[in-house]
Amino acid sequence: MMEEYIQISKINDFLFCPRSLYFHSLYESFSTATYHASPQTRGRLNHATIDTGRYASEKYILQGLEVYSERYGLVGKIDLYEKETKTLIERKTKIQVVYLGYRFQLYAQYFALTEMSYPVERLVLRSLEDNKRYNIPLPTGDALKEFENTLEKMRIFDIREAPLEENLKKCTHCIYQSLCRSDIVIPE
């Protein structure tokens, strides 16, 4: 058994920038109004109907189900699982690029659901603003190895050894930029 579970939602944060994961953990006990920018607030509002079970009334749709994977030491919630089609759906406000973090969140949810005896045959990312759906292949081969390597890197992460992000575009869009990269001036 794993000593500590990784929150599924933090996989995307880690892949965006490992240092953001550290700052996220510092702020976890604060009100999100303290540090969330408008994209994070929109995302939280988009999840409200899922988290409260008000998104769909159909019995074949599971929403906001808490899941865990003993094998990978993961814990979190899914957005939607359609029992009839065996489809796991992760919703994002607007998908412009299918980032690795989005795929790995789905993989984590997939492994948790299958361990909990829910058959999953399809993985889908859904972009809410433009209603686009992106089919994601099930994790196998190199994609599975990369997923497992990412989880291992998360477990051994040490902020003291983490280099600063070199992609300054990421830093200018990071809600922790002022704490981590005060050397960057963001134009207003």
Side-chain angles (χ1 to χ4, degrees):
M1 182 170 145
M2 303 284 173
E3 287 182 29
E4 274 190 48
Y5 280 83
I6 292 173
Q7 291 178 348
I8 292 171
S9 62
K10 290 187 178 176
I11 296 171
N12 189 38
D13 292 342
F14 183 80
L15 288 169
F16 175 76
C17 174
R19 295 174 70 90
S20 74
L21 186 63
Y22 169 77
F23 291 111
H24 186 81
S25 67
L26 287 179
Y27 277 97
E28 254 178 343
S29 63
F30 288 67
S31 163
T32 56
T34 305
Y35 62 94
H36 271 186
S38 60
Q40 289 79 26
T41 301
R42 264 196 316 277
R44 191 182 76 237
L45 292 172
N46 285 337
H47 273 270
T49 56
I50 296 284
D51 293 339
T52 58
R54 296 175 301 159
Y55 176 77
S57 59
E58 293 88 351
K59 300 271 188 242
Y60 69 91
I61 296 178
L62 297 179
Q63 51 193 326
L65 178 69
E66 292 186 14
V67 296
Y68 69 95
S69 167
E70 190 73 31
R71 175 182 175 189
Y72 287 108
L74 299 166
V75 64
K77 286 185 177 183
I78 63 161
D79 279 357
L80 301 169
Y81 173 70
E82 296 178 356
K83 291 189 230 178
E84 290 179 354
T85 61
K86 300 176 177 97
T87 303
L88 174 62
I89 301 168
E90 172 69 16
R91 301 160 64 238
K92 300 290 183 191
T93 302
K94 173 130 178 148
I95 299 173
Q96 295 175 328
V97 175
V98 176
Y99 291 107
L100 188 60
Y102 296 174
R103 284 196 359 243
F104 284 6
Q105 276 185 283
L106 263 175
Y107 289 178
Q109 294 168 10
Y110 163 80
F111 286 116
L113 271 179
T114 55
E115 277 185 46
M116 295 170 65
S117 300
Y118 290 97
V120 179
E121 294 177 2
R122 290 183 59 220
L123 303 177
V124 173
L125 286 169
R126 181 164 170 240
S127 178
L128 297 176
E129 286 188 7
D130 54 13
N131 202 27
K132 289 184 180 177
R133 294 168 67 96
Y134 300 87
N135 292 314
I136 305 299
L138 296 176
T140 59
D142 289 341
L144 176 59
K145 287 178 189 165
E146 192 175 6
F147 170 76
E148 292 173 337
N149 287 339
T150 298
L151 296 180
E152 181 59 27
K153 287 176 186 174
M154 289 179 77
R155 285 197 166 79
I156 62 171
F157 175 74
D158 184 340
I159 187 72
R160 296 167 294 189
E161 297 173 14
L164 288 174
E165 176 61 52
E166 291 182 24
N167 180 349
L168 297 184
K169 280 186 175 181
K170 279 187 180 183
C171 295
T172 59
H173 294 288
C174 180
I175 60 178
Y176 307 114
Q177 177 271 333
S178 62
L179 296 170
C180 182
R181 294 298 305 262
S182 58
D183 60 316
I184 299 173
V185 177
I186 299 176
E188 302 228 6

